[in-house]
Amino acid sequence: MEKQRNLILAVVLMGLLLIGWDYGIAYFYPQPKGKPAAMASQAPVAAPASSGPPAKPTREGGLQAPADVALEQKDLAQELAAGNRVPIDAPGLKGSINLVGGVVDDLTLVRHRETIDKNSPPVRLFSPAGTPAQHFAQVGWLGQNGVAAPNGQTVFTTQGTKLTPATPVTLTWRNPTGQTFSLRYAIDQNYMLTVTQSVTNAAPTAASVAPFARINRTDKTMSQDTWQVHSGPIGAFDGSVNFSNNYTDVAKVGSITPAGAANWIGFTDIYWLSALIPADGAAKPAADFRALGNNLFAADLIWPAASVAPGQTQSQTLRLFAGAKENNVLEAYENQGVTHLSLSIDWGWFRWFEKPIFWLLDSLFHGVKNFGLAIILLTLLVRGMMFPVAQRQFASMAAMRALQPKMKAIQERYKDDKAQAQQEIMKLYKEERVNPLAGCLPIFLQIPVFFALYKVLVLTIEMRHQPFVLWIKDLSAPDPLHVLNLFGLLPFTPPAYLGIGVLAIILGVTMWAQFKLQPAAMDPAQQQIMGLMPWMMMFVMAPFASGLLLYWITSNLLTIGQQRYLYSRHPQLKAQATKDQQNLDRAAARDATITAKPKKK
């Protein structure tokens, strides 16, 4: 009866886990209810702004409210058609600089699409002020002692017709008192703009100005901010990257000033980053994050006021990163002096292990040109490196089986002295050179590999939209084919805990086959629980990235082959396990017969 109660309890707990898993997935990984603004292809449609609480962010972010999506299309089209813009045309970025205010407020990422559809538009990172997806960078000055500085309504004149890597552009504006302000923009092949701020003083007296730079954005387009992936305010201060603040924190207090001098400051999503990078110099800017109200936030750099003598020019340079968090690109910028920019990817505490896994996986991908095949090759390499450990594990298990009679004899001899029995058993292990923990080592070695690959698939944009074969078009996303809707033929999407795809089924089958080969003998209740485990894991893992399931399936198949090979090398292990299992089954049958007999009155 006790075993039956334990089995029923295990089944109930598994059922609660599966049901709770759906709500957990829906909470931490909600799916968008409508198309993000940059994904929509229809003509702009007028719609009122959204009301009520904001929609919960999705994994990649973007506008979620249908009204905001429609309004973004309309407002963006109007803003870009209004003129007063200098085009940006670079290999990594396209867009324009707004001559009104001299702000960079129109940027799309050439190398990244919104969806896996080849006709999908490029990802839009920056949108003009006033649009629902507002996100832009502004560089300017604060006038001191009556000096008129340009503001958000100032219309600059331009020298240069298009910003490209080969052709910088300069924006200028002259105030009535003799100061000329200029912004020289240059751009590289990827995602970095360099801005040189200059003030030339033609007045007879000194002029005082305080340079500043700002990134302004809404949190309506933010991606999920979870315990494993940070989204929101970010920066490096005195060489340490700060992930501790989010939009809610800033909104509660109004302004947060991180400790230390800013190496860079801005906002991050899971795949995208916008950051201001001050140049090294004697003057260190003050840095802060501010809540502006109406879901708007700012990351600021403000330098101390500088006095520009008559006939002199005061200049300073800063950089603006606005693009995708491609690891190789970020590391290249680090080599150019941007402190820890690659750590804007939230690797976490185990980056020392995750980054080598990423490097190996990315190298394999560039070699075979198929990311799914790269995952399979990575699994082969990892399991190949651990094969000697597995051999020792099986040898240790075989030795443990051979020691069972001696261990039972010791336990019988010292049944009234448990401490002495343990000492004698440990002495036996030492004499026979058997390590009882050797069987656990391969499991512990696989855990960091699995976690590292999980983080790589979750974090790195290099894996985004990478296909494998047939129906697997994006290995960073869950399996799109669900059994319950007949692989998309029926017009509904099953809930997460019932969204079983082909990969999840293969995972369950391979885990079941792997458990069937386990050498450890189990009583019937344990057998039933372990029999349910593969199918429970099938439900649990179904919503995870297809690439992670592919890794686990490959690992299971290799484990099955490895176990068969090692059983052939250690036949006594299989024979002893079969014998022990038969003894357990006979004992269980005997207990059941005794329990079933009616008691004599």
Side-chain angles (χ1 to χ4, degrees):
M1 290 297 294
E2 183 67 24
K3 292 179 180 178
Q4 291 178 349
R5 283 196 296 270
N6 290 340
L7 178 60
I8 292 171
L9 178 60
V11 172
V12 170
L13 290 175
M14 287 180 184
L16 290 175
L17 174 63
L18 292 178
I19 295 173
W21 187 261
D22 178 47
Y23 292 103
I25 288 294
Y27 182 81
F28 289 108
Y29 300 96
Q31 297 301 313
K33 296 181 179 179
K35 288 185 177 181
M39 289 173 56
S41 57
Q42 63 268 29
V45 178
S50 62
S51 60
K56 192 171 182 62
T58 58
R59 182 173 178 272
E60 290 197 18
L63 294 173
Q64 305 305 317
D68 281 342
V69 172
L71 187 60
E72 171 72 12
Q73 297 173 57
K74 174 178 177 292
D75 288 354
L76 185 62
Q78 290 178 346
E79 287 288 339
L80 299 184
N84 288 321
R85 290 186 171 273
V86 177
I88 298 173
D89 189 1
L93 293 170
K94 290 189 185 300
S96 60
I97 301 173
N98 194 344
L99 294 177
V100 179
V103 298
V104 182
D105 63 357
D106 169 32
L107 286 179
T108 58
L109 311 184
V110 176
R111 295 195 287 261
H112 299 280
R113 300 277 172 186
E114 286 288 348
T115 70
I116 59 176
D117 186 351
K118 293 181 179 179
N119 296 322
S120 175
V123 169
R124 171 166 290 279
L125 185 63
F126 279 7
S127 288
T131 62
Q134 174 173 321
H135 192 172
F136 62 86
Q138 180 182 9
V139 180
W141 301 263
L142 300 174
Q144 308 286 314
N145 302 323
V147 174
N151 57 38
Q153 303 305 315
T154 300
V155 180
F156 285 79
T157 58
T158 179
Q159 298 173 17
T161 58
K162 181 185 291 186
L163 176 59
T164 72
T167 57
V169 297
T170 301
L171 313 185
T172 58
W173 178 77
R174 181 183 175 89
N175 68 10
T177 56
Q179 288 81 40
T180 300
F181 299 84
S182 66
L183 297 171
R184 182 182 184 274
Y185 284 97
I187 193 170
D188 69 4
Q189 302 288 325
N190 292 305
Y191 307 116
M192 192 73 79
L193 289 87
T194 301
V195 190
T196 303
Q197 295 174 267
S198 299
V199 180
T200 300
N201 185 15
T205 58
S208 180
V209 292
F212 76 88
R214 172 182 303 130
I215 293 177
N216 179 306
R217 73 162 289 175
T218 177
D219 68 351
K220 290 182 179 180
T221 56
M222 69 175 288
S223 61
Q224 290 169 334
D225 182 30
T226 67
W227 65 272
Q228 59 180 342
V229 181
H230 175 67
S231 175
I234 191 174
F237 305 91
D238 284 341
S240 178
V241 179
N242 187 328
F243 295 93
S244 60
N245 300 310
N246 57 41
Y247 293 111
T248 302
D249 296 332
V250 179
K252 283 181 180 178
V253 298
S255 176
I256 291 178
T257 301
N263 306 113
W264 51 270
I265 185 173
F267 298 100
T268 186
D269 295 294
I270 184 172
Y271 291 136
W272 328 116
L273 173 70
S274 55
L276 298 167
I277 306 162
D280 294 333
K284 301 293 184 182
D288 63 17
F289 299 106
R290 291 184 297 127
L292 307 178
N294 197 30
N295 296 104
L296 297 176
F297 296 84
D300 298 304
L301 292 176
I302 302 178
W303 282 262
S307 179
V308 186
Q312 300 297 311
T313 298
Q314 186 270 339
S315 298
Q316 71 170 26
T317 300
L318 75 149
R319 285 180 282 181
L320 166 66
F321 179 93
K325 295 194 292 187
E326 299 167 7
N327 185 71
N328 293 339
V329 171
L330 297 178
E331 289 184 343
Y333 288 134
E334 282 186 356
N335 294 333
Q336 297 172 18
V338 185
T339 303
H340 291 327
L341 190 63
S342 70
L343 298 189
S344 60
I345 301 173
D346 190 4
W347 297 104
W349 293 345
F350 301 105
R351 69 174 182 268
W352 57 271
F353 191 74
E354 292 160 13
K355 294 194 78 170
I357 290 290
F358 165 76
W359 175 85
L360 178 57
L361 190 57
D362 195 48
S363 299
L364 290 170
F365 166 63
H366 283 91
V368 300
K369 308 302 181 184
N370 183 291
F371 194 72
L373 184 56
I375 291 175
I376 293 173
L377 292 175
L378 174 69
T379 313
L380 285 167
L381 288 173
V382 170
R383 297 310 297 262
M385 288 187 292
M386 293 196 303
F387 185 73
V389 179
Q391 281 186 303
R392 296 194 63 179
Q393 172 200 14
F394 268 70
S396 177
M397 293 170 68
M400 288 288 291
R401 288 291 182 191
L403 290 181
Q404 287 297 319
K406 295 181 180 181
M407 292 172 61
K408 288 181 180 179
I410 292 173
Q411 291 167 349
E412 286 294 326
R413 188 184 313 159
Y414 298 102
K415 60 183 178 181
D416 296 326
D417 189 348
K418 301 294 185 183
Q420 184 62 35
Q422 287 298 320
Q423 290 180 10
E424 293 296 327
I425 289 174
M426 294 305 294
K427 182 179 178 182
L428 179 64
Y429 289 156
K430 187 175 181 179
E431 290 174 351
E432 300 290 340
R433 296 183 179 180
V434 173
N435 182 3
L437 298 179
C440 302
L441 183 59
I443 297 174
F444 286 119
L445 289 177
Q446 287 186 67
I447 289 173
V449 175
F450 181 82
F451 182 73
L453 183 62
Y454 168 71
K455 288 281 281 187
V456 165
L457 287 168
V458 167
L459 290 172
T460 55
I461 195 169
E462 287 80 358
M463 321 311 166
R464 181 178 182 260
H465 292 175
Q466 289 294 340
F468 179 38
V469 293
L470 302 176
W471 74 97
I472 304 298
K473 305 298 184 184
D474 184 1
L475 283 162
S476 69
D479 189 339
L481 295 186
H482 297 152
V483 175
L484 290 186
N485 65 4
L486 299 181
F487 308 114
L489 295 177
L490 300 180
F492 78 97
T493 301
Y497 70 98
L498 294 177
I500 307 301
V502 176
L503 288 179
I505 293 173
I506 297 173
L507 174 65
V509 171
T510 56
M511 287 191 70
W512 173 82
Q514 183 181 341
F515 284 168
K516 294 293 285 185
L517 288 173
Q518 291 293 335
M522 297 178 287
D523 63 41
Q526 289 176 314
Q527 289 181 35
Q528 292 180 61
I529 292 173
M530 294 303 291
L532 289 172
M533 186 65 69
W535 314 117
M536 183 190 75
M537 292 304 297
M538 177 182 72
F539 281 93
V540 169
M541 293 299 297
F544 281 73
S546 299
L548 197 64
L549 269 65
L550 179 62
Y551 164 79
W552 203 338
I553 290 167
T554 307
S555 181
N556 287 346
L557 292 172
L558 292 174
T559 300
I560 292 169
Q562 186 181 65
Q563 285 177 329
R564 288 188 174 277
Y565 169 76
L566 292 172
Y567 278 143
S568 69
R569 295 285 304 273
H570 302 280
Q572 74 278 17
L573 183 61
K574 185 66 174 179
Q576 185 64 45
T578 303
K579 181 179 178 181
D580 290 346
Q581 189 65 63
Q582 289 173 349
N583 291 337
L584 275 175
D585 292 343
R586 281 196 295 268
R590 185 169 58 250
D591 293 342
T593 302
I594 294 172
T595 304
K597 285 183 178 180
K599 294 182 180 180
K600 294 182 180 179
K601 295 183 179 180

